[in-house]
Amino acid sequence: MKFIGLLLIIFTATCLAEVIELEDADFFKGRVLDNYGNVQGKWFIKFYVPWCPHCQHLAPEWAKMAHSVDDEVNVGGVDCTKHDDLCMFYEVYAYPTIYYIDDSLGMVKYEGRRAAKDLTKYIQNQEYNNEDATNAKDIQKFKQMSDFDKLRGIFGLG
């Protein structure tokens, strides 16, 4: 019985390993954006709060999707109870909020269904390229900001 429990723990950790928990620093000179504000690869990021029932329902679906698309995109999550300034900076007012981010498109808000198969299809079929341009946020403006202005934006001082 202990062996089966250990296998279950290992299996669960393996499935969840592809979801990267992101922090403020990852968006400024870190994993998501480099020193110059360039996006480091492609990202699919959910902004969530642990107490939200919709976020809790999304969690296993998000992990399944992450396991399916790990060669195509980085999958991350931002806990808005720990990083509320970051969530405010990215205009996250409802949970969960999901963005696709890459250097050429900027940020595209995902508005589709929340099942793993739908999330996976969105990435594998590159459906973010078909999004209305009004949903894309301009990362170019962010790239041109000074580090001081970026921090002011995060902390709501600008």
Side-chain angles (χ1 to χ4, degrees), residues 15 18-19 61-71 75 120:
C15 288
E18 288 83 10
V19 177
E61 299 297 315
W62 193 253
K64 286 182 214 172
M65 177 274 304
H67 190 67
S68 300
V69 300
D70 61 354
D71 293 336
V75 177
T120 300

Side-chain angles (χ1 to χ4, degrees), residues 72 120-130:
E72 300 169 58
T120 300
K121 180 181 166 197
Y122 181 80
I123 294 299
Q124 290 177 338
N125 294 345
Q126 299 181 1
E127 293 177 14
Y128 42 83
N129 287 320
N130 303 328

Side-chain angles (χ1 to χ4, degrees), residues 27-55:
F27 286 84
F28 304 96
K29 301 181 180 183
R31 290 182 183 170
V32 180
L33 301 175
D34 67 13
N35 293 342
Y36 303 102
N38 299 312
V39 179
Q40 305 277 68
K42 298 176 180 181
W43 286 89
F44 204 28
I45 302 173
K46 71 172 178 170
F47 293 81
Y48 70 96
V49 289
W51 49 260
C52 165
H54 297 291
C55 298

Side-chain angles (χ1 to χ4, degrees), residues 13-14 42 48 57 81 90-91 94 98 100-101 105 124 126 133 136 140 147:
T14 302
K42 298 176 180 181
Y48 70 96
H57 180 72
T81 62
Y90 284 104
E91 300 175 4
I98 301 171
Y100 171 82
I101 305 172
L105 288 175
Q124 290 177 338
Q126 299 181 1
Q140 297 304 322
D147 289 343

Side-chain angles (χ1 to χ4, degrees), residues 19-34 40 43-48 75-90 101 142 150-151 154-155:
V19 177
I20 302 166
E21 253 333 283
L22 299 168
E23 302 177 344
D24 296 355
D26 293 319
F27 286 84
F28 304 96
K29 301 181 180 183
R31 290 182 183 170
V32 180
L33 301 175
D34 67 13
Q40 305 277 68
W43 286 89
F44 204 28
I45 302 173
K46 71 172 178 170
F47 293 81
Y48 70 96
V75 177
V78 175
D79 182 344
C80 292
T81 62
K82 295 178 182 175
H83 308 288
D84 58 335
D85 291 331
L86 183 64
C87 297
M88 285 176 32
F89 182 79
Y90 284 104
I101 305 172
F142 179 80
K150 289 175 188 173
L151 290 173
I154 285 181
F155 294 109

